[in-house]
Amino acid sequence: MATHPTAFVDESWFQQRNSPGAYLMAAVIIDHDSVPAAETAAKEAAGIHDGYHSSVLYHRGHVGVIEAMLDVVADHAGWSVVSAQVPIDPGNRAAVPNNPRHVHAHLEGQREHARQLSMERLLRHLNGQRVRDVYLETRGSPAEWRDARETGSRLPSIDRNDIRAYRRLLDQGAISHRMRLIHVEGRNDPGLWMADAVAWSAGRAIRTDEPQWWNRIADVATILEASTGTELRLNASGAAPPEGERDPHNLSQRAQTMSSPVLYSASPADHQVGAILTSLMNQAEHARMPSTTQLTREVLGYVQRIAERVERLTETVNTIIPPPAGEAAPRGGAPQPRSADHEDPSPQHSREVDD
């Protein structure tokens, strides 16, 4: 009996002043029968660490653990896909509110909108891969889960937006009713550790022009623009050199500053947009804007379909309404212009018609 793949999903995002920001949602797709072996390998890669979180491990200097986890993805996952919303909110060009009390809510609204777009694109893609079980890390804290159970709710309120997006796709017929969206605690789920590593590696490339970790899985991974589903290419020309001040195994003071946690949050500090983020933004903007060639092709297609319908209608009319006596039905069903001979026929022509 054929089995369907399983997907493990995690997110990565950043928002900063003077930066377009980005929201990424990554899925690791594994054949159902291969999940136990992949989870065992993920546990071995994590080693003695309590749980797994790529950004925490990076800042503690445990880069080798992240690399080992990415190697597990490359060896055990059938494919990985990242749904990217770049910039984080292209549909809202309004400036961040000046009132500090409103800034946090404004950024959260942008981020939540980007999350739902990214999730919908990802679920559509996973449906095309015949995925049935989609495991997603809950955003609810233990206290929020406890409150949800006490009130008879199946999920904390913070996770309900995910379910609304999922049900919206079900109602549209965009995904199969056999697909399940399952929220779990990511700290103890080895499948989500792999998704965390994929999301982190893509985010690291976009934030700091360091794609060397993404390159470990680039042969088995895809980045999709969240709004259109167009495949984006992560420019690998900005890879960090194998040694020097940006060497991940030997971080200098400047490199440590570049990779500090403030880079991943809604910090008021300025952020210099790198080459990879700029490239992805240009690709995403192009994907969301139909090209002149595409528009021309669509218009020509409409014209051709209209011409075909007119021809079929003419044939139908000629079939229903016979031509006047003394006139031959036009060949091909289309009306023909009358020549001068028809306006002033010769006797010879008249005899032929009378016959």
Side-chain angles (χ1 to χ4, degrees):
M1 180 178 178
T3 58
H4 294 278
T6 298
F8 299 92
V9 178
D10 197 19
E11 65 173 1
S12 177
W13 58 271
F14 74 101
Q15 286 175 294
Q16 289 183 283
R17 191 174 66 187
N18 295 337
S19 171
Y23 189 96
L24 310 174
M25 185 164 278
V28 175
I29 305 172
I30 305 176
D31 289 339
H32 179 78
D33 294 339
S34 301
V35 169
E39 291 183 335
T40 298
K43 291 177 182 178
E44 294 176 354
I48 62 174
H49 300 279
D50 183 17
Y52 179 93
H53 199 278
S54 296
S55 61
V56 173
L57 290 168
Y58 180 85
H59 295 301
R60 291 178 178 175
H62 300 300
V63 179
V65 178
I66 303 174
E67 294 173 343
M69 191 65 68
L70 290 170
D71 290 343
V72 171
V73 173
D75 292 340
H76 292 272
W79 204 262
S80 295
V81 59
V82 176
S83 177
Q85 181 68 10
V86 184
I88 201 165
D89 190 8
N92 184 359
R93 300 297 183 180
V96 176
N98 293 326
N99 190 330
R101 293 182 300 176
H102 299 157
V103 170
H104 185 68
H106 175 81
L107 296 178
E108 279 193 339
Q110 287 186 331
R111 191 162 60 251
E112 187 63 28
H113 177 68
R115 176 185 176 90
Q116 301 313 315
L117 284 178
S118 300
M119 176 179 294
E120 290 192 16
R121 175 57 55 192
L122 191 61
L123 292 179
R124 289 173 183 269
H125 181 85
L126 295 178
N127 183 73
Q129 302 300 312
R130 301 177 61 82
V131 171
R132 289 295 176 260
D133 290 338
V134 180
Y135 290 93
L136 178 67
E137 183 173 10
T138 177
R139 293 186 285 174
S141 66
E144 289 172 318
W145 274 94
R146 184 171 57 253
D147 293 342
R149 286 191 293 267
E150 291 176 354
T151 58
S153 176
R154 295 179 60 185
L155 289 172
S157 59
I158 195 171
D159 289 332
R160 291 176 187 168
N161 282 346
D162 298 342
I163 299 300
R164 293 188 186 99
Y166 163 75
R167 289 176 177 169
R168 186 161 54 246
L169 292 176
L170 287 177
D171 293 340
Q172 296 171 358
I175 61 175
S176 170
H177 282 77
R178 296 181 179 180
M179 177 183 285
R180 299 191 303 167
L181 188 65
I182 307 166
H183 287 82
V184 296
E185 171 56 55
R187 184 179 183 85
N188 301 316
D189 191 303
L192 292 181
W193 299 350
M194 290 182 278
D196 177 280
V198 172
W200 179 87
S201 66
R204 186 71 191 173
I206 295 172
R207 285 184 287 258
T208 60
D209 277 351
E210 295 178 347
Q212 61 266 40
W213 290 286
W214 171 261
N215 289 342
R216 300 180 81 95
I217 58 170
D219 291 339
V220 290
T222 303
I223 299 178
L224 302 178
E225 198 278 319
S227 300
T228 64
T230 303
E231 184 174 350
L232 305 179
R233 296 182 61 85
L234 194 153
N235 185 2
S237 64
E243 58 185 8
E245 66 175 359
R246 294 182 72 180
D247 176 16
H249 296 282
N250 183 23
L251 296 179
S252 67
Q253 183 176 0
R254 175 172 176 266
Q256 291 173 10
T257 302
M258 290 178 62
S259 60
S260 63
V262 73
L263 191 59
Y264 307 99
S265 65
S267 166
D270 290 336
H271 171 66
Q272 184 176 359
V273 180
I276 291 179
L277 178 54
T278 299
S279 173
L280 287 180
M281 284 185 57
N282 291 336
Q283 294 177 63
E285 183 177 359
H286 180 74
R288 291 188 288 263
M289 182 180 301
S291 64
T292 303
T293 302
Q294 180 180 351
L295 291 174
T296 302
R297 188 182 302 112
E298 291 178 356
V299 170
L300 290 176
Y302 292 143
V303 172
Q304 181 178 0
R305 286 193 289 273
I306 291 173
E308 292 171 352
R309 292 180 181 179
V310 169
E311 184 175 356
R312 288 197 297 270
L313 179 60
T314 302
E315 293 174 352
T316 302
V317 170
N318 289 333
T319 301
I320 297 174
I321 304 176
E327 291 187 11
R331 295 180 180 179
Q336 301 293 328
R338 301 182 66 182
S339 67
D341 290 342
H342 287 89
E343 295 295 335
D344 187 18
S346 65
Q348 182 181 2
H349 289 160
S350 298
R351 287 195 298 274
E352 290 178 354
V353 172
D354 290 340
D355 292 340

